[in-house]
Amino acid sequence: MMMTNNIKSNIVRIKQRSLPLLLVLLSFLSLPALAETTHVTIAVVDVAYLMKNAPEAESAGLELKARFSPRELALSKELELIGQLEAERERNLVTWTPEQRQQNEREVRTRKRDRTRALEDFREELRFARDAALDSVQQSVFKAIEDVREEREIDVVIEEYVAASARVNITPDVLNYLQRQFDQKQSGTQNNKKSTEQ
């Protein structure tokens, strides 16, 4: 009796495990019939290349540089000033009074502490700005991929692939689309500037 129950429970477990496998096998068996009635088009795209070479990415990089270069330069100058104060203390170690040395040391400590805080703030703001710019570029790239996919009536676009022929690689088409979109946006921005100036 006990052995019969074990066999029954094993059969139930096998049936439960086999059901998903059976469904997968049945779906593969029906694919040839589906392929005969439906034409599926597949394309590939190199998203990393698009993220690196999209015109919006270059523009965002230039904007970040313009926005953060002055602060980076100020931080660099502050570091030079701290170095000069430390060098001055070393040169005048013998001639300065203990009060002058303490005042110099306090000023150096204060400047170092302030610079460290400013540097941390700078890095955090730069990271947030870079992440926001990257998100914007990524959204533009994925929208462009979707728009090109719809234009060319492609059913599936694959991002990660080992190799593909130029016939199915839509990366150049997406890059051209991104360039056209960027140019339109730039000309719209310039038109808006001209109309506000007049």
Side-chain angles (χ1 to χ4, degrees):
M1 181 80 166
M2 177 104 157
M3 191 164 167
T4 308
N5 285 340
N6 282 342
I7 292 172
K8 286 180 182 178
S9 68
N10 285 340
I11 290 172
V12 168
R13 273 192 232 126
I14 290 171
K15 285 181 180 177
Q16 289 173 344
R17 290 182 188 155
S18 300
L19 185 60
L21 181 61
L22 181 63
L23 290 173
V24 169
L25 287 174
L26 285 175
S27 68
F28 279 119
L29 291 175
S30 65
L31 278 179
L34 180 65
E36 289 175 11
T37 60
T38 309
H39 178 68
V40 176
T41 55
I42 297 175
V44 297
V45 68
D46 187 347
V47 173
Y49 178 84
L50 292 171
M51 291 291 294
K52 182 179 177 185
N53 295 298
E56 190 176 328
E58 184 179 339
S59 174
L62 292 172
E63 287 176 22
L64 286 173
K65 189 173 185 173
R67 180 176 164 195
F68 287 96
S69 287
R71 287 178 59 191
E72 187 175 23
L73 184 61
L75 287 166
S76 178
K77 285 183 179 180
E78 182 65 24
L79 185 60
E80 287 177 21
L81 181 61
I82 291 169
Q84 290 170 358
L85 289 171
E86 289 175 328
E88 183 181 9
R89 182 180 61 220
E90 290 299 316
R91 279 193 312 270
N92 297 315
L93 196 58
V94 180
T95 59
W96 276 359
T97 65
E99 292 83 27
Q100 289 173 314
R101 283 193 301 265
Q102 284 179 345
Q103 181 182 359
N104 177 278
E105 288 171 2
R106 264 184 262 138
E107 184 177 358
V108 167
R109 267 196 313 271
T110 301
R111 286 184 176 274
K112 281 184 176 181
R113 187 174 44 245
D114 292 345
R115 184 184 180 280
T116 300
R117 285 186 196 131
L119 183 61
E120 287 172 4
D121 290 345
F122 170 77
R123 287 179 178 161
E124 186 175 336
E125 286 178 38
L126 178 60
R127 184 175 50 83
F128 282 134
R130 193 178 290 148
D131 289 349
L134 184 64
D135 285 346
S136 175
V137 171
Q138 188 175 35
Q139 287 175 2
S140 294
V141 165
F142 282 120
K143 183 180 180 332
I145 292 169
E146 179 61 22
D147 290 348
V148 169
R149 184 197 70 77
E150 286 178 1
E151 273 179 17
R152 294 188 51 192
E153 297 179 357
I154 298 169
D155 296 310
V156 179
V157 176
I158 299 171
E159 176 184 346
E160 294 185 25
Y161 58 95
V162 176
S165 71
R167 185 173 57 84
V168 296
N169 188 353
I170 63 169
T171 304
D173 297 334
V174 174
L175 191 57
N176 289 335
Y177 181 89
L178 285 166
Q179 186 65 54
R180 285 192 312 270
Q181 293 295 107
F182 183 76
D183 291 343
Q184 286 176 356
K185 189 186 289 184
Q186 292 297 90
S187 66
T189 304
Q190 289 173 354
N191 289 340
N192 285 342
K193 283 183 183 178
K194 287 179 184 176
S195 65
T196 56
E197 289 174 359
Q198 294 174 354

